[in-house]
Amino acid sequence: MKIFIDKHIVSLFSVLVFHHLALQVIQADEKGKDTTKTYYLGEVVVTATRLPTNPKNLPSSVEVIRSSNIEKKNGTSLASVLEGRSGLFLKSYGGSGALQTPSIRGMAAEHTLVLVDGQRYNNFQNGQVDWGIYLLDEIERIEIVKGGYSAIYGADALGGVVNIITKHPGATLGLGAELSRGSYEYQRHGVHATYGLGRASMQLSLRRERGRGDYEFYFHDGLTTTKMRRQGADFSILQSHFGMDYSLSPIAQTSLNIRYGDAERGTPGAVVTTASNGQARQSDKDLMTQMDFLWNFNPTVLLHVGSSFHYSDGTYIDPGLIIGGKILESFYTNRLLSFTPHVRFSPLNTFSLIIGAELARGSIISNEVISAVRWQKSLFLSAEKAFEFPHEILYNIILYPSLRYDTFSDVDGDLSPKIGINIGVLREPSVHLRSSYGKNFRVPTFNDLYWKVGGNPNLHPERSVSFDAGIVTDFNFVGLWEAEVSYFNIDTEDRIVWMPGSNSIWSPKNIHHVKSTGIELKAEWRSMSEAFVLGYAHTISNTIKKNMDGPDDQTANKQLPYLPTETAAFNGSLNYGAASLNIHHVFTGFRYITETNDPKFVLPAFQKTDVNLILRIPFEHVIMKTKFEVNNLFNADYQIIASYPMPLRTYVATLEVQY
Amino acid sequence: MSIKYLYLLVVIAMLAISSCKKESPIVPPVEIPPTTKAVYVVNEGNFGRSNSTLTVYPPDSNKAYQDVFAAVNGRNLGDVGNDMVLYKDRGYIVVNNSQKIEVIKLSDHTSVGTLVIPGNKSPYKLSILNDSKAYVTNLFDNSVTVFNPLALALTKQRIPVGLNPQGIAAANNKMYVCNSGFGSGSTVSIISTSTDTVVKTLVVGNAPSGIEVDADGDVIVKCDGAYNDFSNPNDDTPGSLVIINVNADTIAAVIPLPLATYGHPGRSSVSKKGYGFVQVNTGILKFSTSTNTIISDAFITTSSYFPYSLAVDDVTERVYVADAKDYVQPGQVFIYDKTGQQIGRFDTGIIPGTIAFKR
């Protein structure tokens, strides 16, 4: 069991101890690479404030998914691992390899900022990340902070921020290989190696995942139900990663990470008849190169310079869509170069200040979008100030003020302030109250501004005000209990919506006012030996379009389509010796298909259960791991998006060898 | 309402007859004027959501019946209803992305059957020639499919035509097909209905999409004009109305629609009473099909909405203009009399795209 020690109690330790830990604190910075478990001081997250902080001390809710949690879920994509988290709903367009996008707190995919080791991953073209083809490889943990975070990360962080934090390479030789086989010719092959050499440590991994994707599903035409096979949904995903850490001196460290992904897949589209057999295909190539430099001048000053280059290239071809004698073919090439230096001052144990800047250049070349370049210049400032009291009740108050100013070469920028507070109400059992309030914005994407047919260069940013408040507690009672309840409210003005104009040409406008409110509950119980782990998450929310587009607008005050008002998830884990049995059950409430919330057109509620059994067999220096996964155990017949059927029951068996 | 009205007319006529009987034993046959019994609107719904619906509006009533197909048949109409043709006692609804034609009885709207157009051709517009032959254009297959409209059996799966065929009309035992190419096409394919082959391809104007037959038997083709590079408004070409002589299959006349005045035209509708309408930037333009000239640039002013579709009722000479609003909420149809004055309106489903009349 992890021992939870409040960061601010730790901060009372002697300067000597603090200094001794300095390097480990560096490692737990934005890259959060806390593999040195010896010095691991309780649960520490970095995304919410850019400071390593215990989650219960934060001003708003955070989800932490560690590699051990990832292993206990079915699947390998970002989507499969994060399914069922409170406040997060996944819009899935099919099984493995299909498009999957997130909705955090009722917001859209372009309102979720994805970071890889603290650096922006979303491109400027559509602001979205496909979670279906992002394979998790060598991941230390994933942090999800919910609510508005423009004051920390700038544009697009309206619904939340997902930070994927990579493992550090090991200092000694390590080798591993894995092999999976599953339903519908699903295959996965992977190798990884790690090696230390002097001041350098390196890791290399390569993973390939492929399948026919022709899973079974039910098609309903209203009178009859037909069991069908998905057609044209085959996929092949390659992901490789090279990482290197180099210690320049005892107080300075640099790291390099290069990730390359290549996904080729069929995207057959909606199934509206028993004869539907879309032939569209999509190809995505993605290169993310990051270089980080950390320098701990002294125990109170830390310099972090992050830089990244993200290249993404996509091609979409639909042979079934012949327009003017030509097959529909679209290509997009995005480049995003960013440079983010920041300095952290911690002059007092109860006070930290971060000052930083971000300079980025994004560009697009496409046959659908007018070529464009965007420069971004940003300054940010955030602080953490703790007031400690020698009481058992009301024992501390921590304030988190943040301010960020972003400018863009082609659209308006904004000033984004945020204030957060965390109040330690009770020391034992631990009870904290927390709240945050901030302004956020999303810049129009290149598609919004420069799409050749209907792009609107006069758009301005969407702006939101987000508020949340909650209570978090943990205590020991026949095991360790952790629970939290959060209320949230995100009020977005000038939301960009593509609307039809004259001659039926669609064009985006800053027109909608959307309000998203809800309550999230999550609770977890772990037995003392962690033989039993039970978790539960429940979210009740409404995402309502508030404005009238015209007189008698029947879409005003209605729930946005495809978003459930209720979701719940149950996780159970039974660990005995080398064996681990895990169950993951999700409930998703009904969803409207239409903006008018016509009750005749709804997607019904569904429940889905995934299970897996993991066995670890140590054999001298080698550990053999087997994992048997069953997805959709009870053959739930469901859709997340209308006419995009989801798979019935499927199986995957994996054998992994680690040296 | 319409049945009561009809009943009243018959009673009045009977009274008139009976009152005349005493004065004259020779009675001329009574002509019951045709009436429009129902207005049908096929609402496209949103692509991929299978929420196309059928609205039925009894003329002069204050109620439109929504989603009639599903209410009667217990299943949804399908994905993107793009056309409806009334033939004898049946209604034929082309459901584009569901790759099918749903056939209903007009008396009670119950399903007669479903004809699936094989091969994901994307059926779009329909024309029924007679009891044994009907022709449907296939938007993404560059072809026309022939079927027996009574037996609902395919006769010929593919007659190759030009690019992205849209509107289709029957005249002089031929089928005239607009090869739109979504802007890149400029021809009409003329199909012989005896051989079901293309006998001539006639160059008309850029992007022909709508086609109807006028009172003189001529075919009127509405060309939208090409957008070319969408990001460059200076390379657009203007739309036009092209009149085809169906005996010689040559162009008899052209009514130009200059871009600066009219923009790219929207939907059109031609009456059998010597005139037609087309939606342009100035409103609903009225043109003469006898002189082939423009009668009025703005017969109907539509500044308060974007007309999505329109249809003229030959019997009442009323013009029905549909407003699809923002394409995600139910639309409306505005009713105008033959002078262009609005006399009513009714609600529809999402994206009212096709209007048809039962008489």
Side-chain angles (χ1 to χ4, degrees):
Chain A
M1 189 190 75
K2 290 187 179 67
I3 299 168
F4 286 80
I5 303 173
D6 187 275
K7 175 177 176 288
H8 296 278
I9 299 173
V10 173
S11 67
L12 298 176
F13 286 7
S14 68
V15 172
L16 182 65
V17 173
F18 189 81
H19 184 75
H20 183 67
L21 293 178
L23 189 59
Q24 281 67 49
V25 173
I26 291 172
Q27 291 176 336
D29 193 57
E30 282 73 8
K31 298 184 69 61
K33 293 169 178 174
D34 48 351
T35 48
T36 315
K37 298 285 183 186
T38 313
Y39 301 108
Y40 186 62
L41 301 169
E43 194 90 29
V44 171
V45 297
V46 295
T47 310
T49 60
R50 290 186 190 264
L51 293 162
T53 311
N54 188 297
K56 67 183 178 183
N57 286 329
L58 288 172
S60 52
S61 179
V62 59
E63 297 266 352
V64 186
I65 301 99
R66 299 200 159 273
S67 57
S68 54
N69 305 127
I70 292 171
E71 181 187 69
K72 289 180 178 177
K73 291 289 296 288
N74 287 4
T76 55
S77 70
L78 186 58
S80 58
V81 166
L82 298 189
E83 182 191 34
R85 296 282 157 181
S86 73
L88 188 148
F89 177 65
L90 277 171
K91 292 182 178 173
S92 303
Y93 290 75
S96 298
L99 172 69
Q100 304 206 60
T101 59
S103 167
I104 297 181
R105 291 188 166 173
M107 306 300 281
E110 60 271 23
H111 299 131
T112 300
L113 183 64
V114 177
L115 308 174
V116 177
D117 290 327
Q119 293 287 330
R120 181 189 175 96
Y121 187 71
N122 308 48
N123 63 37
F124 286 145
Q125 188 200 339
N126 61 14
Q128 300 183 2
V129 174
D130 183 351
W131 287 22
I133 56 171
Y134 194 104
L135 301 186
L136 296 175
D137 216 357
E138 311 306 317
I139 301 301
E140 173 60 36
R141 66 180 189 276
I142 300 167
E143 297 179 8
I144 307 173
V145 290
K146 291 172 277 185
Y149 276 87
S150 288
I152 310 285
Y153 294 104
D156 309 343
L158 272 72
V161 179
V162 175
N163 193 1
I164 303 163
I165 296 165
T166 313
K167 271 182 186 168
H168 261 304
T172 55
L173 177 68
L175 296 169
E178 66 174 307
L179 172 71
S180 297
R181 288 290 182 272
S183 306
Y184 311 112
E185 291 187 10
Y186 172 83
Q187 300 177 9
R188 188 168 72 236
H189 305 101
V191 289
H192 67 267
T194 181
Y195 186 60
L197 188 65
R199 292 181 173 187
S201 51
M202 290 164 280
Q203 62 183 344
L204 179 69
S205 66
L206 191 65
R207 178 172 284 182
R208 187 178 187 87
E209 196 169 316
R210 66 204 306 180
R212 288 204 318 259
D214 54 343
Y215 54 82
E216 288 186 318
F217 66 93
Y218 290 110
F219 175 77
H220 309 271
D221 70 0
L223 290 179
T224 57
T225 296
T226 310
K227 199 172 197 179
M228 290 175 58
R229 295 281 286 269
R230 194 71 162 117
Q231 293 184 53
D234 59 288
F235 61 94
S236 174
I237 305 169
L238 174 77
Q239 188 142 312
S240 55
H241 171 228
F242 172 75
M244 184 176 80
D245 284 356
Y246 187 80
S247 181
L248 297 166
S249 76
I251 59 165
Q253 184 178 4
T254 185
S255 64
L256 171 71
N257 279 285
I258 302 170
R259 283 175 195 80
Y260 176 71
D262 187 339
E264 296 281 341
R265 53 187 165 153
T267 49
V271 177
V272 292
T273 74
T274 52
S276 290
N277 68 341
Q279 302 161 50
R281 298 198 68 80
Q282 189 164 331
S283 164
D284 293 282
K285 293 178 172 53
D286 192 282
L287 175 71
M288 180 85 170
T289 303
Q290 289 175 263
M291 190 156 219
D292 288 84
F293 173 72
L294 288 165
W295 191 3
N296 203 59
F297 287 99
N298 58 54
T300 61
V301 181
L302 172 78
L303 170 68
H304 178 193
V305 180
S307 61
S308 66
F309 173 65
H310 185 195
Y311 170 90
S312 55
D313 182 281
T315 304
Y316 178 86
I317 300 174
D318 188 349
L321 210 57
I322 300 169
I323 296 174
K326 295 176 185 168
I327 290 172
L328 178 72
E329 181 170 1
S330 309
F331 66 82
Y332 314 91
T333 300
N334 281 277
R335 292 178 177 84
L336 179 63
L337 183 65
S338 64
F339 177 68
T340 315
H342 75 253
V343 179
R344 191 173 82 212
F345 300 101
S346 302
L348 302 170
N349 292 331
T350 56
F351 178 70
S352 291
L353 179 71
I354 288 178
I355 299 173
E358 185 171 349
L359 178 67
R361 181 189 187 275
S363 65
I364 184 169
I365 297 171
S366 166
N367 63 337
E368 304 281 8
V369 186
I370 298 167
S371 294
V373 173
R374 172 179 295 168
W375 281 95
Q376 176 194 337
K377 297 171 189 169
S378 314
L379 291 171
F380 55 88
L381 177 71
S382 59
E384 174 186 333
K385 172 62 184 166
F387 300 92
E388 306 284 350
F389 308 108
H391 311 140
E392 286 303 305
I393 298 175
L394 195 62
Y395 70 95
N396 73 357
I397 296 174
I398 312 170
L399 296 176
Y400 296 93
S402 308
L403 187 67
R404 179 167 167 136
Y405 181 62
D406 294 273
T407 62
F408 300 89
S409 58
D410 60 339
V411 287
D412 294 342
D414 210 348
L415 184 69
S416 307
K418 183 174 182 176
I419 181 74
I421 185 170
N422 184 294
I423 303 170
V425 178
L426 267 180
R427 217 185 275 272
E428 189 63 41
S430 166
V431 177
H432 287 246
L433 295 176
R434 62 194 182 193
S435 183
S436 70
Y437 180 85
K439 278 181 64 186
N440 310 284
F441 73 105
R442 174 176 91 83
V443 283
T445 61
F446 285 156
N447 283 359
D448 293 331
L449 295 163
Y450 309 123
W451 193 260
K452 286 182 179 173
V453 187
N456 179 2
N458 299 315
L459 291 170
H460 49 87
E462 299 177 357
R463 297 174 206 281
S464 81
V465 174
S466 67
F467 168 77
D468 55 24
I471 183 168
V472 55
T473 182
D474 63 73
F475 55 90
N476 284 298
F477 178 72
V478 197
L480 178 66
W481 292 81
E482 293 175 290
E484 64 176 74
V485 181
S486 303
Y487 165 82
F488 65 85
N489 181 333
I490 303 173
D491 198 330
T492 310
E493 296 277 7
D494 294 335
R495 189 150 162 172
I496 295 168
V497 180
W498 284 72
M499 307 275 287
S502 61
N503 295 322
S504 300
I505 291 176
W506 292 61
S507 190
K509 295 176 184 170
N510 288 100
I511 195 164
H512 279 181
H513 172 197
V514 175
K515 195 168 184 176
S516 187
T517 55
I519 294 175
E520 298 158 353
L521 162 74
K522 63 173 185 174
E524 187 174 79
W525 171 75
R526 281 175 272 175
S527 66
M528 296 305 280
S529 60
E530 292 204 19
F532 300 98
V533 180
L534 300 175
Y536 182 73
H538 201 124
T539 305
I540 296 171
S541 62
N542 285 296
T543 304
I544 306 291
K545 180 195 155 209
K546 301 298 289 183
N547 66 297
M548 302 273 285
D549 289 336
D552 307 320
D553 181 357
Q554 295 182 46
T555 65
N557 296 312
K558 298 285 171 59
Q559 173 82 357
L560 296 193
Y562 294 126
L563 291 176
T565 55
E566 187 173 14
T567 58
F570 167 78
N571 290 292
S573 185
L574 172 61
N575 305 298
Y576 182 76
S580 175
L581 177 66
N582 303 288
I583 182 167
H584 179 67
H585 180 84
V586 294
F587 163 80
T588 300
F590 80 96
R591 288 131 291 141
Y592 292 110
I593 291 174
T594 63
E595 283 78 355
T596 54
N597 292 181
D598 186 339
K600 293 194 295 292
F601 296 100
V602 296
L603 292 170
F606 69 89
Q607 303 198 47
K608 179 175 76 84
T609 307
D610 296 339
V611 293
N612 66 61
L613 177 65
I614 301 170
L615 286 171
R616 271 194 189 74
I617 306 162
F619 185 75
E620 295 192 353
H621 298 297
V622 174
I623 297 175
M624 290 182 67
K625 188 179 95 175
T626 59
K627 183 177 181 183
F628 183 68
E629 303 170 32
V630 184
N631 300 300
N632 194 2
L633 178 66
F634 299 112
N635 260 337
D637 170 18
Y638 69 106
Q639 294 177 8
I640 308 285
I641 301 293
S643 308
Y644 286 81
M646 299 299 289
L648 298 175
R649 184 167 48 237
T650 59
Y651 308 91
V652 177
T654 301
L655 174 66
E656 189 175 341
V657 181
Q658 292 175 345
Y659 170 76
Chain B
M1 277 299 274
S2 58
I3 292 168
K4 285 181 182 174
Y5 179 60
L6 182 63
Y7 177 72
L8 190 62
L9 284 174
V10 173
V11 169
I12 291 168
M14 294 286 283
L15 287 172
I17 292 165
S18 62
S19 65
C20 291
K21 269 186 178 175
K22 292 175 185 173
E23 294 174 9
S24 172
I26 302 165
V27 181
V30 175
E31 281 193 17
I32 300 171
T35 59
T36 300
K37 295 174 182 171
V39 179
Y40 288 94
V41 179
V42 179
N43 306 292
E44 295 175 11
N46 307 109
F47 190 86
R49 297 186 187 179
S50 296
N51 62 335
S52 184
T53 59
L54 180 66
T55 299
V56 181
Y57 172 71
D60 297 317
S61 72
N62 58 3
K63 180 168 176 59
Y65 297 88
Q66 307 297 343
D67 204 5
V68 170
F69 183 90
V72 172
N73 297 297
R75 60 190 168 94
N76 292 333
L77 184 56
D79 201 34
V80 192
N82 270 134
D83 201 11
M84 182 173 188
V85 172
L86 276 49
Y87 184 73
K88 297 193 170 175
D89 62 344
R90 292 177 172 189
Y92 294 77
I93 303 167
V94 183
V95 192
N96 170 261
N97 201 37
S98 294
Q99 315 292 339
K100 67 178 180 178
I101 297 171
E102 288 285 0
V103 185
I104 56 172
K105 272 196 278 185
L106 294 177
S107 54
D108 58 7
H109 308 116
T110 54
S111 173
V112 174
T114 304
L115 177 71
V116 173
I117 307 296
N120 292 308
K121 295 182 173 70
S122 208
Y124 190 62
K125 292 289 179 184
L126 173 68
S127 179
I128 299 176
L129 181 70
N130 54 36
D131 283 359
S132 60
K133 279 196 161 180
Y135 295 73
V136 62
T137 57
N138 297 314
L139 195 57
F140 292 115
D141 191 53
N142 300 342
S143 71
V144 167
T145 292
V146 190
F147 65 94
N148 182 313
L150 298 186
L152 296 183
L154 294 170
T155 308
K156 187 167 186 176
Q157 288 210 17
R158 281 192 97 247
I159 302 173
V161 293
L163 304 174
N164 307 110
Q166 295 194 16
I168 182 167
N172 198 23
N173 290 318
K174 289 173 279 189
M175 281 286 163
Y176 293 78
V177 180
C178 293
N179 300 313
S180 75
F182 287 123
S184 67
S186 59
T187 60
V188 166
S189 293
I190 302 169
I191 296 170
S192 160
T193 57
S194 54
T195 62
D196 285 341
T197 54
V198 173
V199 292
K200 186 171 185 178
T201 302
L202 185 66
V203 175
V204 283
N206 289 141
S209 62
I211 191 163
E212 284 176 276
V213 181
D214 72 7
D216 306 329
D218 292 336
V219 165
I220 314 266
V221 182
K222 188 261 303 177
C223 300
D224 299 338
Y227 286 89
N228 294 315
D229 182 354
F230 273 94
S231 58
N232 179 9
N234 300 318
D235 67 354
D236 290 17
T237 63
S240 59
L241 295 159
V242 177
I243 294 90
I244 299 174
N245 178 310
V246 297
N247 294 318
D249 284 335
T250 54
I251 294 173
V254 175
I255 304 174
L257 298 171
L259 270 174
T261 309
Y262 301 113
H264 291 283
R267 302 285 182 94
S268 61
S269 181
V270 174
S271 165
K272 289 286 194 287
K273 297 202 170 176
Y275 57 84
F277 301 96
V278 61
Q279 184 265 320
V280 290
N281 280 359
T282 52
I284 305 297
L285 179 150
K286 185 176 183 180
F287 60 94
S288 165
T289 56
S290 53
T291 62
N292 296 325
T293 54
I294 293 171
I295 298 169
S296 168
D297 276 355
F299 176 73
I300 296 167
T301 305
T302 55
S303 53
S304 61
Y305 65 95
F306 291 126
Y308 183 72
S309 64
L310 77 161
V312 55
D313 178 2
D314 277 342
V315 170
T316 61
E317 297 193 57
R318 289 174 179 174
V319 183
Y320 292 75
V321 184
D323 173 13
K325 297 188 177 177
D326 57 2
Y327 292 35
V328 294
Q329 62 179 306
Q332 280 191 333
V333 167
F334 295 92
I335 309 166
Y336 300 88
D337 68 12
K338 62 182 178 182
T339 68
Q341 296 301 307
Q342 188 188 327
I343 56 171
R345 64 178 179 176
F346 61 91
D347 293 333
T348 67
I350 294 170
I351 314 182
T354 300
I355 303 167
F357 304 99
K358 176 187 175 186
R359 297 179 182 114

